[in-house]
């Protein structure tokens, strides 16, 4: 069961999202919040697997809440769910450690799929913005100014293989199945990769994998 926190200052939106998620037997909404500050408090209390945050909320906006949530509950994946798809919002959210960015106008099935993806350790961006953001962030040297191929040169061949599969969008479980290794071993490789390369989340890692030529560009 994937335990989810919803945070949006519009009660009608929260009710609609909760109803969509309730249609999947594998997802449970354990708490709801009307602003970012309350969301942080609810995360501390409930330790959900995924926190779904709106960007524009009173007291504490979603981007600031994402930063605090990543600090107080590293095991909670953060997904931004918003009507705004401006590149600045997306890049700031991912820079603060968010694992996903989805639009309220998207198909409800995409919301369920995205939440399941981030709960399983993957990253998810709405298809409408994914390619645009990857191109922009890569071109801007979002991760670091050092050329991508130079950055990954210190990784072992196996770590580069794991990074490439992450770049294809595979979860830790899927990577393990592909490479015939346990999920724990995959997590060990991920920790080594993130630490060595100074990466904060899987989206940054995926961008680096694209830029280094480990996966085909979209």
């Amino acid at each position: 069961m994937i335990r989810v926190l919803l945070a949006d200052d519009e009660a009608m939106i929260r009710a609609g999202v909760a109803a969509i998620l309730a249609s999947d037997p594998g997802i449970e909404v354990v708490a709801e919040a009307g602003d970012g500050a309350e969301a942080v408090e609810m995360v501390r209390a409930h330790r959900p697997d995924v926190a779904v945050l709106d960007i524009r909320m009173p007291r504490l906006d979603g981007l600031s809440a994402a930063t605090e949530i990543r600090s107080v509950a590293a095991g909670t994946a953060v997904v931004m769910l918003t009507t705004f798809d401006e590149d600045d919002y997306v890049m700031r959210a991912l820079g603060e450690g968010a694992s996903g960015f989805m639009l309220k106008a998207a198909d409800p099935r995409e919301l369920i799929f995205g939440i399941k993806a981030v709960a399983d350790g993957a990253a998810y961006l709405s298809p409408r913005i994914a390619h645009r953001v990857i191109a922009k962030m890569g071109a801007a040297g979002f991760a670091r100014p050092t050329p991508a191929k130079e950055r990954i040169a210190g990784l072992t061949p196996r770590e580069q293989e794991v990074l490439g599969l992450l770049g294809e969008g595979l979860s830790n479980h899927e990577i393990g199945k592909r490479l015939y290794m346990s999920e724990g071993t995959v997590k060990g490789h991920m920790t080594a990769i993130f630490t060595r390369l100074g990466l904060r989340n899987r989206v940054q890692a995926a961008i680096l994998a694209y830029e280094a030529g480990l996966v085909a560009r979209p």
Side-chain angles (χ1 to χ4, degrees):
M1 183 67 70
I2 300 172
R3 303 172 69 253
V4 176
L5 160 81
L6 298 179
D8 196 297
D9 59 328
E10 296 186 46
M12 189 71 74
I13 296 294
R14 292 201 311 272
V17 174
I20 291 170
L21 297 182
S23 69
D24 190 293
I27 299 176
E28 177 187 10
V29 177
V30 297
E32 297 184 27
D35 59 59
E38 187 180 6
V40 176
E41 295 171 4
M42 290 292 185
V43 166
R44 283 195 178 101
H46 296 276
R47 300 288 169 168
D49 301 303
V50 181
V52 180
L53 311 176
D54 187 22
I55 287 181
R56 294 185 177 177
M57 293 188 289
R59 289 213 294 167
L60 191 69
D61 64 54
L63 296 172
S64 299
T67 301
E68 293 200 24
I69 288 171
R70 295 300 296 156
S71 175
V72 303
T76 296
V78 174
V79 172
M80 309 307 298
L81 180 64
T82 180
T83 56
F84 307 101
D85 66 346
E86 289 93 337
D87 290 351
D88 180 59
Y89 281 134
V90 180
M91 294 173 70
R92 285 177 58 196
L94 301 179
E96 295 301 331
S99 298
F101 196 104
M102 291 184 279
L103 302 175
K104 292 177 181 177
D107 189 304
R109 291 171 295 182
E110 181 185 326
L111 174 62
I112 292 174
F113 178 84
I115 286 177
K116 287 185 174 181
V118 299
D120 196 31
Y124 187 82
L125 297 177
S126 289
R128 173 174 157 182
I129 59 174
H131 291 178
R132 186 179 87 228
V133 170
I134 287 175
K136 184 178 180 65
M137 293 169 77
F142 180 76
R144 283 185 190 276
T146 305
K149 288 186 178 180
E150 290 183 23
R151 291 190 64 195
I152 69 167
L155 299 180
T156 67
R158 177 60 87 184
E159 288 170 346
Q160 291 190 25
E161 195 171 12
V162 169
L163 180 60
L165 293 177
L166 181 156
E168 291 180 16
L170 274 64
S171 68
N172 289 350
H173 176 70
E174 292 168 332
I175 292 172
K177 289 180 64 177
R178 181 77 65 87
L179 299 180
Y180 302 101
M181 62 175 63
S182 70
E183 190 168 348
T185 300
V186 174
K187 289 180 179 179
H189 284 307
M190 290 294 182
T191 298
I193 292 168
F194 277 47
T195 299
R196 196 168 301 156
L197 300 180
L199 300 170
R200 294 184 61 183
N201 56 50
R202 295 176 75 98
V203 177
Q204 291 185 2
I207 293 168
L208 181 61
Y210 274 101
E211 292 302 302
L214 297 179
V215 292
R217 290 179 179 273

